Amino acid sequence: MLTPCILVCSIDTNTGYCFGCGRTREEIGAWMTYSDDERRDIMEVLPQRLATVERKPRRETRRQRLARERSAI
């Protein structure tokens, strides 16, 4: 299943978007019920949303660490 989740689950109180993926609480909660087309539509706007959050995650996510470790092999 297509997902933007990077395992950084914290909501920006100013925008209502997750710091990690850019989805709203409602979108995160309903993600499994959306069709692939609905998921793609939401994912298209996530980069613009993430640009509006007040702060960025400070720690390396599990997904980032795994990608880094795979590229080092």
Side-chain angles (χ1 to χ4, degrees), residues 12 14-17 19 22 46-56:
D12 178 25
N14 293 326
T15 62
Y17 302 139
F19 290 113
L46 297 181
Q48 295 91 344
R49 289 181 181 180
L50 285 170
T52 67
V53 296
E54 292 291 321
R55 66 177 174 87
K56 305 288 186 233

Side-chain angles (χ1 to χ4, degrees), residues 14-34:
N14 293 326
T15 62
Y17 302 139
C18 173
F19 290 113
C21 68
R23 294 178 292 172
T24 65
R25 289 179 194 270
E26 293 77 19
E27 290 167 342
I28 293 168
W31 196 252
M32 300 292 282
T33 66
Y34 292 146

Side-chain angles (χ1 to χ4, degrees), residues 6-8 59-67 69:
I6 61 167
L7 304 176
V8 174
R59 65 179 175 86
E60 180 179 48
T61 66
R62 181 173 180 257
R63 184 170 288 170
Q64 289 169 328
R65 181 179 53 80
L66 291 172
E69 290 172 354

